[in-house]
Amino acid sequence: MKNSLLAALTTFVLFALTTTNPSVVEAQVLDTDGNPVEWSKNYYILPFVWGPLGGGLTLESHNNSICPLYVTQEPSDLSNGLTVAFSPRISRLPFVTSSADLSVRTTGAAATCKLSLVWKIVPEWTRLWFVSTNGNSNFPNSIFRIEHYESYYYKIVFCPALSLIPTLCKGLGIYIDDDGTRYLAIGDNVEPFRFVFKKAEVSQTQNYIKTMV
């Protein structure tokens, strides 16, 4: 009981101190309601505007294989897709800050395969990489960052080798293949996409995964 109270008090003190520090406040990643994005909570990752840019992120099978699932974008702006949760690699703060190393896990998804739903970068073609699941939050190919990207928008960045080579960090964008599937990807010709984060209520979490088998 004492340990629980001490942990709660420590978290409160850290939160109070950091939220009054201008540099930390500026570095906070905010959701669409203007609140700090919290670790392990469910959020929709959405385009910065509704319309032709598509909807939220979801999961689909790839190359006629059910597993692992790949991260794609809903073609319709009417769909929020599936929720995700962020986990820190190293952080004492209760919320996500810009450029902090983190892992991303898709949540609210039906268990169509028993592999991990943690994101990772996988090679697709020369100079093109897709985001798939079956990642491991301790492995370099599953380490991402969220960075401010114009005004109140954000980009999700992949930084290889645990960020030891920051010049190689690339923002995730949308790659549309010949059949119209919108893959989350990085590559020489893939422009970083501007995202916002919408906190999900429990009742809003969707439980489906697209299959293309």
Side-chain angles (χ1 to χ4, degrees), residues 32-101:
T32 52
D33 293 322
N35 298 317
V37 172
E38 301 175 84
W39 300 116
S40 302
K41 302 294 185 181
N42 289 332
Y43 293 87
Y44 295 106
I45 300 178
L46 303 172
F48 71 104
V49 294
W50 286 4
L53 295 180
L57 301 181
T58 186
L59 298 176
E60 297 190 35
S61 55
H62 180 60
N63 287 340
N64 297 322
S65 177
I66 294 178
C67 296
L69 296 161
Y70 279 59
V71 182
T72 61
Q73 183 191 27
E74 293 280 5
S76 171
D77 62 337
L78 299 178
S79 176
N80 287 337
L82 296 170
T83 55
V84 304
F86 304 105
S87 297
R89 185 165 185 272
I90 301 174
S91 179
R92 295 182 177 180
L93 301 176
F95 48 77
V96 181
T97 54
S98 180
S99 298
D101 287 343

Side-chain angles (χ1 to χ4, degrees), residues 125-176:
W125 298 315
T126 303
R127 310 299 299 173
L128 178 67
W129 296 262
F130 284 172
V131 179
S132 82
T133 56
N134 198 30
N136 184 313
S137 58
N138 295 314
F139 287 7
N141 63 347
S142 288
I143 301 299
F144 298 88
R145 292 176 175 180
I146 297 173
E147 295 183 351
H148 287 87
Y149 186 39
E150 299 180 6
S151 188
Y152 300 102
Y153 314 129
Y154 299 93
K155 63 180 176 179
I156 301 173
V157 174
F158 171 68
C159 292
L162 299 181
S163 310
L164 296 180
I165 313 176
T167 56
L168 294 182
C169 294
K170 290 184 176 291
L172 302 183
I174 303 299
Y175 176 86
I176 305 176

